[in-house]
Amino acid sequence: MTQRPPKDLHVNAPHRAATDRYDAMRYRRSGRSGLVLPAVSLGLWQNFGDETPLAVQRAIIRTAFDRGVTHIDLANNYGPPPGAAEKNFGRIFAEDLRPYRDELLISTKAGYDMWPGPYGEWGSRKYLLASLDASLKRMGLDYVDIFYSHRFDPDTPLEETMGALDTAVRSGRALYAGISSYSAERTREAVEIMRSLGTPIAIHQPSYSMFNRWIEEGLLDTADELGLGVVAFSPLAQGLLTSKYLNGVPEDARAARPGSFDRSLITDQMLERLRGLDEIARSRGQSLAQLALSWALRDDRVTSVLVGARTVDQLVDNLAAVDGAELSASEIAAIDRYAVDAGLNLWARSSES
């Protein structure tokens, strides 16, 4: 069903940001850098391609900024089609957010398949810098705040990949360098290379959720030791950790459509886990999604969690997680009964290299 923008959303009117936009959001420092991020950031991986009306995208982005979400995360291949999310964001930025550029933290990434041929993916210098230039053009930006190597490339020397990040920063096309889905060992190697070049890595972006806890087995400790921030993507397990699946798979859910979400994950055992977590959430006066975000943020080594949103209401519900009470030891123990690996780490291959 086609979504309609809120009635009071004047698409062609310039946006006037809420004057109280920084009053409710909490902010965390990214490791030992000068970078500060909102506890909840907005990711444009899903719902910001050409299949979603631009007015809906605009409403979500406006609402996010009005509630203190200063960090908007993209990648070159977000869509569909690839590049569409950056292009759509660029239009919204030009019409709504350009006056607020210095208040915004905009990130993008390159590493996955983007165009045909041998230079359209992975971690070569040619691909990364060409991709960054294309991303800047699509978004209408002079620079991004963070440019990430989206995945480790086992066939390209890490010195080459990191050298490209160094060039991106030194040339002014990015302010900070980051890596995504790198193992603890590769993270350490990347940090050492970048330090030798004089351009430190500021941040790591791994997947992390109640059902995908791989970063607890070394990466969090490594990031903390090296002074890196951690931005967790997919903290809601691609929507699994929401009320949407408590009674099975609805027709409009992502699991009902072809794509990255495997419908076979919704087993009786999974439903039992979800309902157990939902009961804990309700006892705290939270939605399941809010509990999942509060849980991911319970560790102060996690700088921010990235949420996607299909509607403004979803976004507002997610942002309310920052208002939740701190999880008690007994609540964390109760959550641990259900928060076990569920085979959701689609990015494991990169982090195992």
Side-chain angles (χ1 to χ4, degrees):
M1 183 171 62
T2 301
Q3 300 178 49
R4 298 181 182 276
K7 291 182 179 179
D8 60 350
L9 179 65
H10 300 289
V11 172
N12 295 322
H15 183 54
R16 295 183 180 180
T19 56
D20 62 351
R21 58 188 175 276
Y22 297 115
D23 291 353
M25 179 56 68
R26 291 188 283 117
Y27 298 87
R28 294 182 170 189
R29 184 166 300 278
S30 178
R32 293 193 290 270
S33 74
L35 198 57
V36 176
L37 277 68
V40 179
S41 300
L42 180 63
L44 307 192
W45 176 26
Q46 305 282 349
N47 307 312
F48 288 84
D50 289 347
E51 294 178 348
T52 303
L54 193 67
V56 173
Q57 299 182 38
R58 186 188 305 272
I60 292 169
I61 290 173
R62 283 185 175 186
T63 301
F65 185 56
D66 281 349
R67 292 173 180 257
V69 178
T70 54
H71 178 213
I72 298 175
D73 179 78
L74 301 102
N76 58 352
N77 63 340
Y78 289 174
E86 289 183 331
K87 183 178 179 181
N88 291 333
F89 171 75
R91 178 174 171 183
I92 294 167
F93 171 80
E95 297 175 358
D96 283 344
L97 297 177
R98 189 174 295 280
Y100 307 102
R101 177 64 182 99
D102 291 339
E103 299 180 43
L104 289 166
L105 185 71
I106 301 168
S107 59
T108 196
K109 302 177 283 293
Y112 286 93
D113 187 25
M114 186 60 191
W115 58 78
Y119 318 120
E121 62 176 326
W122 292 106
S124 72
R125 179 180 183 86
K126 179 173 177 61
Y127 169 59
L128 292 179
L129 294 178
S131 178
L132 176 55
D133 287 341
S135 291
L136 292 174
K137 184 176 181 179
R138 281 190 291 270
M139 292 188 284
L141 300 176
D142 296 324
Y143 68 94
V144 290
D145 297 274
I146 306 171
F147 182 53
Y148 290 92
S149 166
H150 207 166
R151 61 172 169 171
F152 173 74
D153 181 351
D155 297 319
T156 297
L158 192 55
E159 289 81 1
E160 179 176 338
T161 300
M162 294 301 104
L165 295 185
D166 174 67
T167 296
V169 173
R170 290 185 181 277
S171 65
R173 288 122 100 183
L175 300 186
Y176 296 89
I179 55 177
S180 179
S181 297
Y182 279 49
S183 68
E185 178 184 359
R186 297 303 185 187
T187 295
R188 187 177 298 278
E189 293 174 4
V191 167
E192 291 175 355
I193 292 168
M194 291 295 278
R195 284 180 177 171
S196 72
L197 294 171
T199 302
I201 293 175
I203 202 157
H204 191 302
Q205 188 179 131
S207 60
Y208 183 51
S209 74
M210 288 178 172
F211 295 152
N212 177 21
R213 301 178 62 166
W214 73 278
I215 68 173
E216 296 174 4
E217 299 175 0
L219 182 58
L220 275 175
D221 289 338
T222 298
D224 185 50
E225 175 193 341
L226 299 174
L228 275 61
V230 172
V231 176
F233 75 84
S234 201
L236 300 181
Q238 299 188 67
L240 183 58
L241 286 163
T242 69
S243 59
K244 182 183 299 183
Y245 296 104
L246 291 174
N247 297 306
V249 181
E251 292 183 2
D252 65 343
R254 190 184 307 178
R257 305 189 302 269
S260 59
F261 196 109
D262 184 355
R263 183 172 184 153
S264 67
L265 291 170
I266 313 298
T267 62
D268 289 342
Q269 184 182 43
M270 176 59 73
L271 291 174
E272 181 181 348
R273 292 176 184 171
L274 290 173
R275 290 164 184 162
L277 291 168
D278 184 61
E279 185 175 342
I280 297 170
R282 286 188 284 108
S283 73
R284 289 171 45 85
Q286 288 186 304
S287 68
L288 177 54
Q290 290 165 0
L291 176 68
L293 298 176
S294 294
W295 178 88
L297 289 165
R298 78 197 185 287
D299 190 322
D300 59 12
R301 293 173 297 180
V302 176
T303 311
S304 183
V305 291
L306 278 173
V307 300
R310 188 166 54 88
T311 67
V312 168
D313 287 345
Q314 281 185 356
L315 174 67
V316 171
D317 179 79
N318 290 346
L319 294 180
V322 301
D323 301 323
E326 185 175 338
L327 287 164
S328 67
S330 61
E331 286 173 327
I332 292 174
I335 289 169
D336 282 342
R337 292 175 52 201
Y338 306 105
V340 296
D341 187 82
L344 295 175
N345 189 359
L346 305 176
W347 310 272
R349 185 174 180 181
S350 177
S351 58
E352 291 170 356
S353 297

